[in-house]
Amino acid sequence: MARSFAILVTVALTNLATAQVPCPNGHSDCSVLESASYCANYSATGRHECWPCIMCSFFQDSITGNCDICGPGGLPDPTATASPDYVDVGESDDETTTVVPDTTVATTVAVTRAPTSSPFSTTAGASCPRECGTVADGGGTCSSTTGLCASCNSNRILVHGGCIGQIYCRGRRIQGGRFIDETCRCSDSNCHYCHVTSAGETCRQCRNGFYLRNEQCIATCPANETSSGVSLFGRLCVPPFICKSNRAQGVSPSRKCRCPNADNTAVSDCHQCNFTAGGFGASCLSCRNGKYLHNEECHDDCSVRPGSTLYEPSTYGRECRDPFTCDNRRDENGRLCKCSRAIGAKTCATCMWTLTGNTCTMCTSGRYLHNGACISNCPAGFVNTGTGRTGRSCTATP
């Protein structure tokens, strides 16, 4: 497809002598021309001009909004590899430049309509700017009136009438260089950010829910990899990993990550999640924002698990668990645990998590146990009892 399109573009650029013929009366003014033509609304000049039918399906600039005037004999739409229902998310659709890498030849073809009001016929030889290159090396042709390049040497790409070594196209805008902020388009409609050179095009960020793998955008990841990414932009196929505090753990270089909800449509209240092979990070290991973990999901409360205690050491790490005793930061099964801040947190050596809440049974760090919590001094009516670091309490005054 890329090679055939490159040939069509070459033919068009060398046969545009009919361009710039005004058509104030519409398509009928173009019907008398030798080659099949249509009346275009040329935004560069604001005029209505006749252009060959080969350009209509590409630029979509017919004054009637369609290419019907070219008839069934018209040339096929060179952008027909994209779905006709394709809509770019959050981007303008007024691009007039397309960069199309030709993987079957050494040159990446870039198509651009020259911003001029003069006929776009081509010439070759010394009259062309030096950057256009030489005919012997695949370039050396340019507009006979504007001097804009119509072809480039095999180690350059044609962009907006100029020959350059590379472009970075992101969100349909060129990033940096002499053509910064000019329009562009990645050849893969699912690629949001691409790098284009004479050797071809590589993708750096995908869109439309596609995943980046080996510099290409694919619909699904291999079974031995995990699918990372909640937004329709920037999804990746990567080896399994743990995501904690929005950072991928044990990955070099470090990268951002986000724990998704059950159907991967939004960011969840999960603080730490497991991106397993064949999965997309829906397996939650700990919650945030005051949510409770149950069956690897975050819930508002523990009504999903009757008979459980609301384990809530802080706004992070809450769970729906069976009642247990936390002694020196371990439960009866050896799992890590904490006592809540409300009863002293680290100053409580042993606490019980029950259906009615959290109660401290022994304090440490020189604190005194009073009404199930650890305090620095006993209140009026009580005396400080004990001198050791652990086991102090408040005793009612006789």
Side-chain angles (χ1 to χ4, degrees):
M1 173 63 188
R3 185 169 189 175
S4 62
F5 182 37
I7 295 173
L8 292 177
V9 170
T10 302
V11 172
L13 291 178
T14 55
N15 291 277
L16 294 185
T18 59
Q20 303 299 320
V21 174
C23 50
N25 300 311
H27 293 308
S28 59
D29 290 337
C30 306
S31 62
V32 297
L33 299 178
E34 182 177 350
S35 60
S37 303
Y38 71 104
C39 186
N41 182 18
Y42 188 18
S43 59
T45 63
R47 298 172 55 192
H48 290 177
E49 303 163 356
C50 295
W51 283 81
C53 277
I54 188 175
M55 309 305 288
C56 184
S57 59
F58 182 79
F59 288 110
Q60 295 294 319
D61 55 359
S62 169
I63 59 171
T64 55
N66 58 61
C67 301
D68 292 347
I69 188 65
C70 292
L75 291 169
D77 183 355
T79 63
T81 54
S83 168
D85 296 326
Y86 171 76
V87 178
D88 293 315
V89 180
E91 295 182 12
S92 170
D93 60 356
D94 60 354
E95 286 81 352
T96 57
T97 301
T98 299
V99 177
V100 182
D102 184 355
T103 57
T104 63
V105 294
T107 303
T108 296
V109 179
V111 183
T112 180
R113 178 172 288 178
T116 173
S117 58
S118 302
F120 197 77
S121 56
T122 58
T123 186
S127 60
C128 291
R130 184 175 180 180
E131 70 169 315
C132 299
T134 64
V135 174
D137 198 17
T141 59
C142 60
S143 166
S144 60
T145 54
T146 67
L148 293 175
C149 295
S151 62
C152 303
N153 282 357
S154 59
N155 64 342
R156 291 289 186 269
I157 57 175
L158 179 64
V159 179
H160 290 286
C163 295
I164 58 179
Q166 63 178 356
I167 65 165
Y168 290 89
C169 180
R170 185 171 190 169
R172 295 189 173 186
R173 295 291 172 181
I174 296 176
Q175 310 295 301
R178 61 189 278 200
F179 295 113
I180 186 172
D181 290 333
E182 291 287 347
T183 55
C184 60
R185 182 181 294 175
C186 301
S187 62
D188 184 349
S189 62
N190 296 308
C191 182
H192 176 67
Y193 180 22
C194 60
H195 178 214
V196 185
T197 68
S198 60
E201 176 183 312
T202 57
C203 190
R204 294 194 164 195
Q205 185 182 47
C206 300
R207 60 184 173 189
N208 303 330
F210 277 64
Y211 296 88
L212 182 67
R213 186 176 190 270
N214 295 334
E215 299 180 332
Q216 295 181 336
C217 298
I218 59 178
T220 58
C221 297
N224 64 333
E225 295 182 353
T226 188
S227 304
S228 176
V230 179
S231 167
L232 294 178
F233 289 81
R235 293 186 176 187
L236 303 171
C237 291
V238 292
F241 68 97
I242 297 292
C243 180
K244 183 179 181 180
S245 300
N246 296 329
R247 303 299 303 184
Q249 305 299 299
V251 175
S252 182
S254 178
R255 66 169 182 268
K256 293 181 179 180
C257 58
R258 292 183 292 177
C259 296
N261 60 5
D263 57 3
N264 201 29
T265 58
V267 177
S268 71
D269 291 308
C270 184
H271 172 63
Q272 182 176 348
C273 57
N274 188 10
F275 281 82
T276 59
F280 54 86
S283 174
C284 188
L285 303 177
S286 65
C287 300
R288 59 185 175 187
N289 301 330
K291 305 298 182 180
Y292 297 86
L293 181 67
H294 175 60
N295 285 345
E296 300 183 338
E297 295 182 354
C298 297
H299 303 271
D300 293 333
D301 53 43
C302 290
S303 58
V304 293
R305 187 184 179 187
S308 63
T309 181
L310 280 69
Y311 174 60
E312 43 189 22
S314 69
T315 57
Y316 286 81
R318 295 185 176 187
E319 291 184 60
C320 299
R321 295 176 60 171
D322 291 329
F324 67 95
T325 296
C326 183
D327 184 22
N328 291 321
R329 301 175 67 84
R330 296 280 180 177
D331 67 10
E332 297 90 340
N333 298 316
R335 286 187 60 190
L336 287 172
C337 57
K338 295 180 181 179
C339 299
S340 69
R341 294 176 181 177
I343 63 172
K346 293 181 180 180
T347 63
C348 180
T350 305
C351 65
M352 294 188 301
W353 288 94
T354 67
L355 297 180
T356 57
N358 188 211
T359 303
C360 188
T361 58
M362 181 180 292
C363 298
T364 187
S365 302
R367 298 298 178 96
Y368 296 90
L369 181 64
H370 180 68
N371 290 338
C374 298
I375 57 178
S376 57
N377 284 291
C378 296
F382 293 84
V383 295
N384 298 339
T385 303
T387 57
R389 179 177 175 80
T390 301
R392 296 186 183 188
S393 63
C394 295
T395 305
T397 303

